[in-house]
Amino acid sequence: MSQPVSLLFGVHAHQPVGNFPSVLTDAHLRCYRPFLQVLYRYPDFRFAVHFSGWLLDYLMQYYPEDMALLHEMVLRKQVELFGAGDTEPVLAVIPNRDRIGQIQTFSNKLAAKLGQRPQGAWLTERVWESTVVPALADCGIRYVIVDDYHFLCAGRAPEELNGFFTTEEDTRTLDLFPISENLRYKIPFSPVAETIAYLESLADNHLPNSSAAAIYFDDIEKFGIWPETYQWVYEKGWLEQFIQGVLASTKICPRHYSEYHAGEKTRGIIYLPTVSYIEMNEWTLPAQSANTYADLVQQAKTSGWYEHKKAFLRGGIWKNFFSRYPESNWMHKRMLGLSTRLNALPEKYRTDLMQQKLYESQANDAYWHGLFGGLYLPHLRRAVYGALVELETLLDALMPRPISHTEDTDLDGVKEAYHQNGILQAVVKLDSFASICELDAYRLKHNFGDTLRCQVEHYYQKIQPGERQASNHAATGIASAHDRISYKHEINAVDIEADDHPRSLFVDRLDDVFISYRSKAAALENNHFQSENTVYPIHKHIMLDNNQLQVAYRFTAKMAQVFSTEINLAMPSCDGMGGRYIYRGEIPGGFGQVLELASLTEITLDDDTLGGSVILKTSSPVTFSAQPHFSVSQSESGFEKIMQATTLLLEWPITALELVITLEINTRRM
């Protein structure tokens, strides 16, 4: 008689650093609380859980009663806690010193707050690179969980993937558990009876004298937050029925990963390629390449060989997001630079706050985009920049920087000129646009250049302009978010057009034609930057003065053309209720509205979320227009338009030889 299959059941709970309190509250009420309450009633159902550090802190503060349930389940040995980096970084893309710091910080937190130090770790987005092995091993982590797909890519057969394997790197060893893709798609979406039958079949089909494991570890948000799942999992009782079915079965035995790991032997040595879960293959690729990849996958499925050979039809890797999205790459390289500065600071000057802000800036969500918003969500990027700007302020107080310097921060072959005076920082991209790609207000801890340009996405080919109706799904079970096509907003063809210029500050045109500037590092001195156009007699000067950014345009001759500059400002309220224009003492509209004014010399952009305002002044009257800049993203709610910035356009005829534009950035007095 065959042995029961060991069910290694784990869930991963995570919310991005900086997420809205309303989202956290909803997630807890619809998912975290009911999940824990159901599991608490079944002490014999052993399971593993990973709460990311920032979310755990939040739940401990605002929902201590529910965390007390979790603590009790830990004490009665029902729950195994899994570690990770504290703010949920992708370990492979941060320095090794920060990997160790992040893992140790979280392990210490679990030991202090819940009484258990983890032996296993969750890998963010299951991003595997062998370079992470030493840090994990040095922090006392004995095993991690990755997808079975990782093992298929290393040439292993599916029937082998019912135990753990061992890898090594730089003399350290680490054991690896393969998560079952079949279980990821069945739990909790398939009917309970079907899921239990599948688990029991695993007991029937393995060798009599071996101990097989059914390995599941996936997002807890699938148990209540994904579409239809709250009704399915709790109101219709899927989770409770599943637990009852497992406990009633003689062929399924729920066990801890640690218990299985201690009692079983490794299946042997394994070396995994750099890879993440299978859906990431498509998400990391540029649209054209992703289309090609998707076509090949569809051809393989049509031909009937995809499931058996999918490991050999591979797309991109997670780090491709840095080459796909300039905005992601810029944040990442700014983070690396500040990590280096913090590491260079004598240890006696480093503070817990500095370390905390560095770790917050490494939170993964704002750096990538797949099924969910991620990089497309301004509030997630704003959390990263808020941490970066605050950390830079703390470092500057101890290790002052020069007021001006140049470097190629994002490694794209084009240098940037940095200007800072301790109040503001303007970073000018020294390309033909000579525009400002980052504008930091240190007191507000905000980057006004934090926008996102529109680029073509692979999933745009699924969009039918003008549609809003959700697609149908199969009658049995419920559809995974991966299989849905729905519309949160009406999307038109113009909404998915790619931008032909960076969404930065002070992008200039002459009669609607972009001006090409020539910038020289030698022109950078005394917090003053100059660039010039070689065809037209135009000189562009950028200067900081206290809390003011001044951009002056000087013309050596009057011309008949119309000059314009585009200023994309990231205002935190976006199209919400807290953002408004103030003009001549009146409020003509909010940031989400179109506004046109003639002969303007001053207007205020006031923002409740920011806690401050921007006053735009011009030395001569200009024609002013403002409109929201949207990008189209996909999320669990469907295709949606997300406001990234307010786009200000200033136009004036060249009848005067100089025009000065000032952005005065103020913090509200409390």
Side-chain angles (χ1 to χ4, degrees):
M1 181 178 177
S2 62
Q3 298 181 28
V5 64
S6 295
L7 174 60
L8 309 182
F9 183 91
V11 288
H12 156 66
H14 171 64
Q15 289 292 327
V17 172
N19 212 356
F20 298 124
S22 60
V23 174
L24 295 168
T25 299
D26 179 69
H28 182 69
L29 295 179
R30 288 199 295 137
C31 181
Y32 309 143
R33 172 180 287 172
F35 185 90
L36 292 174
Q37 288 175 338
V38 171
L39 270 292
Y40 183 78
R41 295 197 291 269
Y42 296 92
D44 292 333
F45 187 87
R46 297 184 178 183
F47 69 103
V49 67
H50 166 249
F51 280 89
S52 55
W54 185 79
L55 175 60
L56 183 65
D57 291 339
Y58 183 90
L59 296 176
M60 287 282 186
Q61 180 179 356
Y62 292 100
Y63 302 102
E65 302 89 352
D66 298 312
M67 292 297 99
L69 282 185
L70 176 61
H71 190 200
E72 186 175 340
M73 286 191 280
V74 171
L75 294 177
R76 73 188 188 191
K77 302 187 185 307
Q78 182 184 358
V79 173
E80 176 182 0
L81 300 176
F82 266 63
D86 188 49
T87 61
E88 196 76 1
V90 172
L91 293 177
V93 302
I94 64 175
N96 191 64
R97 59 178 176 268
D98 295 338
R99 294 172 191 159
I100 292 173
Q102 285 259 18
I103 296 166
Q104 287 180 336
T105 296
F106 188 54
S107 293
N108 292 341
K109 182 178 294 183
L110 292 178
K113 294 190 174 185
L114 294 172
Q116 187 185 110
R117 182 169 290 275
Q119 298 181 49
W122 168 264
L123 283 184
T124 301
E125 300 305 322
R126 283 101 77 191
V127 176
W128 175 262
E129 287 192 11
S130 60
T131 54
V132 305
V133 171
L136 288 160
D138 289 348
C139 291
I141 299 299
R142 301 180 63 192
Y143 46 86
V144 299
I145 41 178
V146 294
D147 280 9
D148 55 5
Y149 176 72
H150 295 50
F151 290 76
L152 299 179
C153 291
R156 293 288 180 169
E159 57 271 17
E160 298 179 82
L161 305 182
N162 56 7
F164 64 87
F165 294 75
T166 301
T167 194
E168 59 81 23
E169 180 77 12
D170 196 18
T171 73
R172 279 76 142 200
T173 61
L174 188 71
D175 291 333
L176 311 174
F177 281 92
I179 304 169
S180 166
E181 182 185 354
N182 283 335
L183 285 177
R184 278 205 303 121
Y185 277 84
K186 287 183 181 298
I187 298 175
F189 305 106
S190 296
V192 168
E194 180 182 320
T195 307
I196 297 296
Y198 175 76
L199 288 170
E200 291 181 335
S201 73
L202 300 179
D204 294 333
N205 293 334
H206 71 79
L207 296 175
N209 295 322
S210 66
S211 180
I215 303 165
Y216 175 85
F217 216 121
D218 207 357
D219 297 342
I220 196 175
E221 287 79 17
K222 293 180 177 180
F223 295 82
I225 297 177
W226 283 31
E228 297 185 60
T229 56
Y230 180 81
Q231 293 79 9
W232 175 254
V233 171
Y234 303 113
E235 292 181 351
K236 295 184 178 180
W238 187 97
L239 181 58
E240 194 141 19
Q241 294 165 27
F242 171 73
I243 295 171
Q244 293 170 350
V246 167
L247 295 177
S249 175
T250 60
K251 296 182 178 182
I252 309 170
C253 178
R255 300 175 72 187
H256 289 321
Y257 281 83
S258 58
E259 180 185 3
Y260 185 91
H261 184 261
E264 303 297 332
K265 295 181 180 180
T266 180
R267 301 298 174 88
I269 193 72
I270 189 81
Y271 293 95
L272 302 179
T274 296
V275 70
S276 181
Y277 51 85
I278 194 167
E279 295 89 351
M280 197 71 76
N281 283 341
E282 176 184 304
W283 296 343
T284 61
L285 294 173
Q288 185 172 351
S289 297
N291 291 339
T292 300
Y293 172 77
D295 289 343
L296 290 172
V297 168
Q298 187 56 49
Q299 291 173 24
K301 289 180 177 179
T302 302
S303 301
W305 59 263
Y306 175 74
E307 283 301 322
H308 303 291
K309 301 179 181 179
K310 61 187 176 185
F312 308 107
L313 183 58
R314 208 176 308 166
I317 64 173
W318 195 92
K319 284 182 177 177
N320 287 155
F321 288 115
F322 298 146
S323 55
R324 270 200 68 191
Y325 298 106
E327 297 85 356
S328 174
N329 185 50
W330 181 260
M331 283 192 301
H332 180 254
K333 302 309 180 286
R334 287 278 281 131
M335 176 274 292
L336 292 181
L338 290 174
S339 174
T340 299
R341 285 189 66 193
L342 178 58
N343 186 60
L345 192 67
E347 191 167 350
K348 64 180 179 180
Y349 296 118
R350 299 180 206 172
T351 66
D352 291 341
L353 180 60
M354 291 178 183
Q355 205 70 60
Q356 176 189 340
K357 292 304 165 183
L358 174 62
Y359 291 167
E360 286 178 7
S361 75
Q362 295 172 340
N364 81 91
D365 304 86
Y367 287 96
W368 68 284
H369 175 57
L371 177 62
F372 305 114
L375 175 70
Y376 274 75
L377 299 178
H379 67 286
L380 299 188
R381 300 196 311 272
R382 187 163 67 246
V384 169
Y385 275 116
L388 289 173
V389 172
E390 185 171 356
L391 175 57
E392 194 161 58
T393 303
L394 296 170
L395 290 171
D396 285 349
L398 293 171
M399 291 193 311
R401 290 178 294 155
I403 60 173
S404 300
H405 75 280
T406 60
E407 66 178 37
D408 182 7
T409 300
D410 52 358
L411 307 179
D412 66 347
V414 178
K415 287 187 175 183
E416 295 82 33
Y418 284 73
H419 312 267
Q420 61 87 20
N421 62 3
I423 299 173
L424 300 179
Q425 175 169 252
V427 184
V428 181
K429 191 76 173 174
L430 301 183
D431 58 10
S432 62
F433 291 99
S435 59
I436 296 173
C437 62
E438 181 172 338
L439 177 60
D440 302 313
Y442 287 111
R443 292 172 184 168
L444 293 169
K445 303 173 186 176
H446 182 67
N447 170 22
F448 287 96
D450 174 23
T451 60
L452 189 73
R453 74 193 69 186
C454 294
Q455 62 169 279
V456 176
E457 295 285 0
H458 161 62
Y459 52 79
Y460 283 2
Q461 64 182 0
K462 301 177 184 178
I463 294 176
Q464 300 298 319
E467 292 290 333
R468 291 194 61 152
Q469 187 66 36
S471 61
N472 295 322
H473 60 79
T476 60
I478 61 173
S480 166
H482 296 277
D483 302 321
R484 295 171 178 269
I485 298 177
S486 59
Y487 294 83
K488 186 176 180 179
H489 301 131
E490 182 175 320
I491 309 298
N492 296 308
V494 68
D495 297 324
I496 54 179
E497 291 180 358
D499 284 328
D500 60 354
H501 64 283
R503 286 286 180 171
S504 47
L505 292 84
F506 298 96
V507 178
D508 305 327
R509 297 176 176 88
L510 192 63
D511 284 347
D512 292 329
V513 177
F514 291 115
I515 295 176
S516 179
Y517 288 102
R518 180 182 62 189
S519 304
K520 293 182 178 180
L524 194 160
E525 58 183 13
N526 298 324
N527 239 7
H528 174 93
F529 172 80
Q530 178 175 324
S531 192
E532 63 182 20
N533 180 267
T534 56
V535 177
Y536 300 100
I538 302 170
H539 297 267
K540 183 176 185 178
H541 303 256
I542 299 173
M543 185 175 68
L544 297 179
D545 180 15
N546 197 15
N547 66 331
Q548 296 183 350
L549 167 72
Q550 295 181 347
V551 180
Y553 296 94
R554 297 190 175 97
F555 310 92
T556 57
K558 295 181 180 181
M559 294 181 283
Q561 291 103 323
V562 173
F563 192 91
S564 67
T565 189
E566 177 184 309
I567 305 170
N568 293 281
L569 278 178
M571 303 301 294
S573 287
C574 294
D575 48 355
M577 298 295 293
R580 65 195 70 80
Y581 299 101
I582 301 175
Y583 180 65
R584 295 178 178 175
E586 303 290 335
I587 299 176
F591 298 152
Q593 298 171 281
V594 175
L595 178 64
E596 296 184 355
L597 299 168
S599 300
L600 177 140
T601 57
E602 182 175 324
I603 191 169
T604 298
L605 288 76
D606 192 59
D607 194 304
D608 290 342
T609 303
L610 177 68
S613 63
V614 178
I615 302 175
L616 184 149
K617 303 175 184 177
T618 61
S619 59
S620 299
V622 299
T623 299
F624 173 90
S625 64
Q627 63 180 19
H629 163 52
F630 289 101
S631 60
V632 173
S633 172
Q634 64 178 350
S635 73
E636 68 273 27
S637 301
F639 297 117
E640 61 182 341
K641 294 167 66 174
I642 300 173
M643 184 173 169
Q644 301 292 341
T646 179
T647 299
L648 313 179
L649 185 66
L650 282 60
E651 296 180 301
W652 66 94
I654 306 176
T655 55
L657 295 182
E658 181 181 73
L659 186 129
V660 179
I661 301 170
T662 301
L663 296 182
E664 179 182 305
I665 300 174
N666 297 309
T667 305
R668 286 207 191 110
R669 292 187 178 91
M670 302 303 291

